[in-house]
Every structure is written in structure tokens, then in C-alpha cells.
Amino acid sequence: MSFEKCLEIIIKYWPSFLLGVRTTLLVAVLGTLIGFVIGLLVGGVRAIKLDKVSPNYLKNVKKILDAIGKVYIEVFRGTPMMVQAVFIYYLVYTNIVKWDKMFAAIFVISINTGAYMAEIVRS
């Protein structure tokens, strides 16, 4: 493809390119911010250390929350985000709710980023 042809395509479709950039930035920033909050919550709970004098019910709640957090982190850090996106979008879309594609994208990026952030906060 010649340089002139590339320039022609860019000039013709620049509004679409700008819309794509805007949408990408919106999804990335919102997903990362929400993921950061999720990571703070999950990582914070996992980082809490209980004393030997803590009540037994509190120790049991901590064990349950740790187990849930560990499974969440292992699943979402251990699978590619694209697989998560396809799996979550089509499973939830066809079986539970009919959600917007933009919301689904932000949701997937948020839970994936949250898993990575949780490990950063915990460590």
C-alpha cells in the first residue's frame, strides 16, 4: 500500500479513529480505577493479620474471606483477559442479563485489574 493511499484512509476515517481512541481511553481509565478500588478492598482484607487473642468467629470470617480472595486472584490472574471477556460476556449476556457492551468491557477490565492490584496491595 502506498503512502498516498494510507494518507487517504486516515483523512477519510479520522473521526472514527478519534472515536476509537476516546472509547479505548474511557474503558481503560474507568476499568483501572474500579479495579484499583477492588484491589484495595481484596488486598486489604487479605493483608490483615489477626492476633492469637482475636475471637474465633473473626478468625473464621478471615479464613473464609481469604479463601474467596485467593480463588478470585488465582482465577483472574491465571487466565487471559480476552478469555475472561468472552466467557463473562456471553455467559452472563445469554443467561442472566442483557448488558451493554461498554459496561461489559469495563466490568472485565475491572475484575482483571482488581486481581492484580489485590496482590500488589497484599504484598
Side-chain angles (χ1 to χ4, degrees), residues 38-97:
I38 293 169
L40 281 176
L41 294 172
V42 174
V45 168
R46 292 202 61 220
I48 293 172
K49 302 291 184 205
L50 295 178
D51 296 337
K52 292 180 182 180
V53 295
S54 298
N56 283 336
Y57 76 90
L58 201 54
K59 290 179 185 177
N60 292 333
V61 168
K62 173 77 168 106
K63 285 180 187 179
I64 291 169
L65 291 177
D66 276 346
I68 292 170
K70 194 178 288 188
V71 168
Y72 163 71
I73 290 168
E74 289 298 317
V75 167
F76 289 104
R77 284 185 67 215
T79 57
M81 189 185 299
M82 201 63 203
V83 172
Q84 295 168 15
V86 170
F87 184 75
I88 289 172
Y89 179 75
Y90 287 111
L91 178 72
V92 174
Y93 183 78
T94 58
N95 294 324
I96 300 172
V97 292

Side-chain angles (χ1 to χ4, degrees), residues 9-24:
I9 290 171
I10 290 172
I11 290 170
K12 183 177 180 181
Y13 294 107
W14 72 270
S16 297
F17 293 145
L18 288 178
L19 179 63
V21 168
R22 185 190 71 149
T23 304
T24 300

